[in-house]
Amino acid sequence: MKHFIEIESCTPEQLKELLKDSSKLKKLYKSGKRDLCLVGKTLAMLFEKPSLRTRISFEVAMTDLGGHAIYVKPEDIGGIGKREPVKDIARVLSRYVHGIMARTFEHRTVTELAEFATVPVINALTDWSHPCQAMADVMTIAEHCGKLAGIKIAFVGDGNNVARSLAFACAKLGMKMVVASPKGYELDERTIRVTNEISKGSVVQTNNPLQAVAGADIVYTDTWVSMGQEAEKQKRIADFKGFQVNAQLLKSASAKVKIMHCLPAYRGFEISDEAAESANSIMFDQAENRLHFQRALLKKLMS
Ligand code: CP
Ligand code: NVA
């Protein structure tokens, strides 16, 4: 594994190994011990979009492993691919740092960085996918459910970057996912087709949220308005009516169902405050596991 761009291009064995290492590093972290495997190593973190979790968890992970992280906001470098071509940024950074992490609008920007960099490149969210989130989510599910095989996730909302990466994680790791979205906001057909080629019946699309949550172990949601879609906000809020994760919807789910959200959560829109704050919610465990998964990932790619 040279880069970490897509769950789709990882083997189940690679994903399982990363999950195992994440748990090991989490235990070590909790016991107050450190693994200084990245002493003298630097990670450049390029952002075109805002971030709380990704930025801080990657920076803390680098510090904890003995390395250093440099946060680069778009203005600092005159925009990714604007002041100079993406391929030049990739080659220049490769002469200075030991890894590049990037959060971009276009997915192509991250794949182009990976194509031209001679150091590992990590996808920290693009309009297309969010693989670090999906892996932290899977780690959280394993902790709460004690297994992954056979777990059923109901993803209620937009068939977006978060849903797509989670769908591939489900297909690769033996879970089932039902995506419930309004018409026009479904997961793309290729993702449905390829996930089902990886594991038949692993990912199913519906327009009925009540049906999706029935029998689910996990109910997962994400914002209706992803970063970059702000101009569509009013239309989206209208189109997603009936897709809020709230007490009413959860009546169709088991009383033990876990509620997940990658955060940030827009309470009153995709999720009610009550559902977000309920004892079933495990969203802050998910947020914490970003740190532990990424420590394992950085160790794997950069040490
Ligand atoms: N879930 C997530 O990626 O959060 P940030 O946008 O705050 O990084
Ligand atoms: N789908 C959201 C995820 C934020 C972490 C977005 O892309 O804005």
Side-chain angles (χ1 to χ4, degrees):
M1 192 189 281
K2 183 168 190 306
H3 305 293
F4 187 68
I5 308 292
E6 290 296 1
I7 304 260
E8 183 181 349
S9 44
C10 299
T11 65
E13 291 67 35
Q14 285 171 329
L15 298 176
K16 283 179 194 159
E17 191 191 318
L18 277 168
L19 288 171
K20 216 166 107 194
D21 293 345
S22 306
S23 301
K24 262 197 223 154
L25 283 171
K26 183 171 182 176
K27 278 200 197 90
L28 193 76
Y29 191 80
K30 299 278 177 189
S31 73
K33 295 199 192 90
R34 294 176 68 186
D35 180 339
L36 296 171
C37 58
L38 294 185
V39 170
K41 302 277 172 84
T42 301
L43 177 74
M45 311 195 296
L46 311 182
F47 282 87
E48 284 184 340
K49 298 174 175 177
S51 169
L52 172 70
R53 280 145 291 272
T54 305
R55 188 227 163 141
I56 309 291
S57 58
F58 265 104
E59 193 161 333
V60 170
M62 280 304 293
T63 306
D64 176 65
L65 297 172
H68 177 65
I70 302 173
Y71 171 67
V72 186
K73 50 180 186 300
E75 308 86 280
D76 292 344
I77 55 170
I80 303 173
K82 297 202 175 78
R83 183 162 173 258
E84 59 194 305
V86 173
K87 60 185 179 182
D88 289 6
I89 296 176
R91 287 174 291 183
V92 170
L93 286 178
S94 297
R95 304 287 178 113
Y96 300 143
V97 300
H98 308 89
I100 301 168
M101 174 270 248
R103 165 170 287 196
T104 62
F105 288 98
E106 281 181 38
H107 189 67
R108 174 75 197 128
T109 307
V110 170
T111 56
E112 198 175 340
L113 284 170
E115 202 179 308
F116 287 92
T118 54
V119 297
V121 173
I122 297 171
N123 173 0
L125 181 149
T126 67
D127 287 348
W128 183 249
S129 56
H130 198 1
C132 292
Q133 183 68 52
M135 290 303 286
D137 295 342
V138 167
M139 180 181 177
T140 312
I141 293 169
E143 287 173 352
H144 279 276
C145 301
K147 60 172 186 179
L148 291 177
I151 290 294
K152 185 185 160 199
I153 303 176
F155 186 99
V156 179
D158 193 10
N160 63 12
N161 45 7
V162 168
R164 188 169 295 108
S165 291
L166 194 59
F168 277 103
C170 285
K172 298 260 175 177
L173 295 167
M175 292 178 284
K176 302 252 182 264
M177 180 167 169
V178 182
V179 184
S181 325
K183 286 209 167 59
Y185 297 95
E186 294 96 343
L187 210 47
D188 65 292
E189 275 169 25
R190 181 190 173 273
T191 298
I192 303 276
R193 176 173 51 78
V194 176
T195 49
N196 280 283
E197 280 164 13
I198 297 167
S199 170
K200 202 167 166 1
S202 56
V203 179
V204 177
Q205 178 74 54
T206 172
N207 300 119
N208 185 333
L210 293 172
Q211 230 168 46
V213 304
D217 300 290
I218 309 284
V219 171
Y220 196 123
T221 191
D222 179 22
T223 183
W224 294 338
V225 188
S226 283
M227 294 178 275
Q229 299 172 334
E230 291 77 9
E232 299 167 29
K233 185 172 174 187
Q234 290 315 324
K235 178 172 169 32
R236 283 177 164 265
I237 289 171
D239 291 347
F240 279 88
K241 197 165 177 290
F243 285 78
Q244 186 185 79
V245 172
N246 56 25
Q248 182 62 29
L249 179 73
L250 293 168
K251 273 189 199 154
S252 301
S254 129
K256 290 190 314 204
V257 74
K258 304 287 180 214
I259 300 167
M260 297 182 74
H261 193 310
C262 59
L263 301 176
Y266 297 89
R267 290 165 165 83
F269 295 96
E270 76 274 7
I271 191 162
S272 67
D273 185 57
E274 189 190 7
E277 299 296 336
S278 82
N280 298 45
S281 164
I282 57 171
M283 51 183 69
F284 298 106
D285 293 337
Q286 282 176 265
E288 177 183 341
N289 281 337
R290 290 291 303 277
L291 172 63
H292 304 301
F293 166 69
Q294 288 156 199
R295 285 160 74 235
L297 180 67
L298 291 166
K299 180 175 177 176
K300 169 107 191 142
L301 294 178
M302 287 171 64
S303 70

